[in-house]
Amino acid sequence: TALHDGASRRGIDALLRSGRLMQPVRGILVKAGTPDDVASRAAAVCRILPDGAAVCRGTAAWLLGVDARPLGGHRATPPLECAVPKGRTPIRRPDVSCYATDLTAADVTEVAGVACIAPSRTAIDLARWSTPVIGLGAVDAMARSGLVVPAELLEMVERWRGDRFVARARRLIELCDPRAE
């Protein structure tokens, strides 16, 4: 936007060096003082995502209040993960994982002003793509907080019947216990 509005690359570099701008995600500049947290980084990356795309998996879980980082990952900021609709080109940034997947309008919601994969889809994606321990923990936490209902997840997961890791997701959802702590 700054380049489009007439700012020079040299001027932008000077603002970065002086600390008046910062770069939470490569290629995205924000005003200095913007919190460097998952929500701010997710909002920044959404500025460069194609239409219909959203943050997903662990990033979506974090924005929904669930920590789905792998064991030992508590020392690091959760990585940014995004999903773009099939047929769109995933973005490539060193600090962002981006996946092309079958997104529908019902799969995307807004959380704190950020395009985010809906809780039910997030739970299924985590059950599919995370390790079983992390996937089950995330689904349990989401069920405990009332974000998802396991019986509804079991119906929804059939949308991907025959796809990779769906059997594992189904098994983990069957093991889900909203009373787990």
Side-chain angles (χ1 to χ4, degrees):
T1 304
L3 289 172
H4 179 57
D5 290 343
S8 69
R9 289 193 186 276
R10 183 178 283 173
I12 292 172
D13 288 342
L15 290 172
L16 273 168
R17 282 192 305 277
S18 72
R20 292 176 58 195
L21 290 178
M22 56 187 232
Q23 190 169 216
V25 176
R26 187 172 166 187
I28 303 172
L29 304 174
V30 296
K31 185 177 173 181
T34 301
D36 189 17
D37 58 13
V38 176
S40 297
R41 291 172 56 228
V45 81
C46 281
R47 306 244 335 151
I48 60 170
L49 289 175
D51 290 339
V55 296
C56 68
R57 299 184 187 177
T59 306
W62 186 271
L63 293 177
L64 292 165
V66 175
D67 187 352
R69 291 177 290 183
L71 297 175
H74 62 283
R75 292 184 185 99
T77 302
L80 283 176
E81 295 178 280
C82 306
V84 299
K86 279 186 177 177
R88 299 285 178 106
T89 304
I91 63 169
R92 292 179 174 230
R93 294 286 192 278
D95 40 5
V96 178
S97 297
C98 193
Y99 318 100
T101 187
D102 62 329
L103 287 180
T104 66
D107 290 334
V108 180
T109 189
E110 191 174 297
V111 176
V114 175
C116 184
I117 299 300
S120 54
R121 171 74 189 259
T122 296
I124 290 170
D125 286 349
L126 289 169
R128 277 183 74 185
W129 300 106
S130 299
T131 63
V133 169
I134 299 303
L136 179 58
V139 174
D140 280 350
M142 293 177 85
R144 182 174 180 80
S145 65
L147 291 168
V148 298
V149 176
E152 291 173 5
L153 293 179
L154 280 173
E155 288 177 23
M156 186 178 174
V157 77
E158 293 309 311
R159 170 177 158 189
W160 296 278
R161 179 182 281 265
D163 286 356
R164 196 170 181 196
F165 304 127
V166 171
R168 173 171 59 195
R170 190 179 302 112
R171 188 173 61 250
L172 293 177
I173 293 166
E174 288 170 351
L175 292 172
C176 176
D177 183 354
R179 299 168 300 171
E181 293 186 16

